[in-house]
Amino acid sequence: QVQLAESGGGLVQAGGSLRLTCKASGRTFSSYAVGWFRQPPGKEREFVAGIRYTGSSTEYSDSVKGRFTISRDNAKNTVSLQMNNLKPEDTAVYYCNAQRSGTVYAWGQGTQVTVSS
């Protein structure tokens, strides 16, 4: 019964940074892989970054690779997305999800990230 909540979004100038946090409930969070997705205005939701339940393996979309870093702190039930060198095209609602054995168990409600030109 994992539940997720995102925070840390806001308005930032191009080239700036934000750190998003996905906070989960429950004691089994460490067994989930966690992904960050985003949905730009008028666009489809897309994968941004993911982290395995062990935290030892990560994946990034080509558009954010080298700029974003995903990490997790299972003791605190959080997964963070450090976003550096933000671009206007990064503007989107950012969501986190929790997966286990190929099944998505939860989505957060999203946090808005707006990057001004």
Side-chain angles (χ1 to χ4, degrees):
Q1 297 93 342
V2 63
Q3 294 184 346
L4 307 177
E6 304 93 340
S7 63
L11 176 64
V12 66
Q13 290 183 304
S17 298
L18 285 173
R19 185 176 180 87
L20 306 183
T21 299
C22 176
K23 185 176 177 61
S25 65
R27 290 288 189 177
T28 61
F29 181 64
S30 62
S31 68
Y32 293 90
V34 174
W36 282 98
F37 293 74
R38 68 187 182 187
Q39 187 165 16
K43 302 295 191 297
E44 298 178 348
R45 189 174 297 186
E46 64 184 25
F47 172 79
V48 176
I51 189 166
R52 307 299 187 195
Y53 74 93
T54 63
S56 62
S57 181
T58 58
E59 297 181 27
Y60 300 91
S61 67
D62 289 339
S63 62
V64 308
K65 193 173 299 181
R67 299 188 298 120
F68 292 9
T69 302
I70 188 170
S71 61
R72 70 188 301 161
D73 186 341
N74 288 336
K76 296 183 180 295
N77 285 351
T78 59
V79 170
S80 296
L81 185 68
Q82 178 65 45
M83 307 186 297
N84 297 327
N85 305 122
L86 284 161
K87 305 175 181 180
E89 50 263 45
D90 294 320
T91 294
V93 178
Y94 283 71
Y95 303 87
C96 61
N97 75 2
Q99 300 183 28
R100 189 169 62 194
S101 299
T103 300
V104 176
Y105 282 84
W107 284 95
Q109 292 186 329
T111 185
Q112 176 71 49
V113 172
T114 303
V115 184
S116 62
S117 302

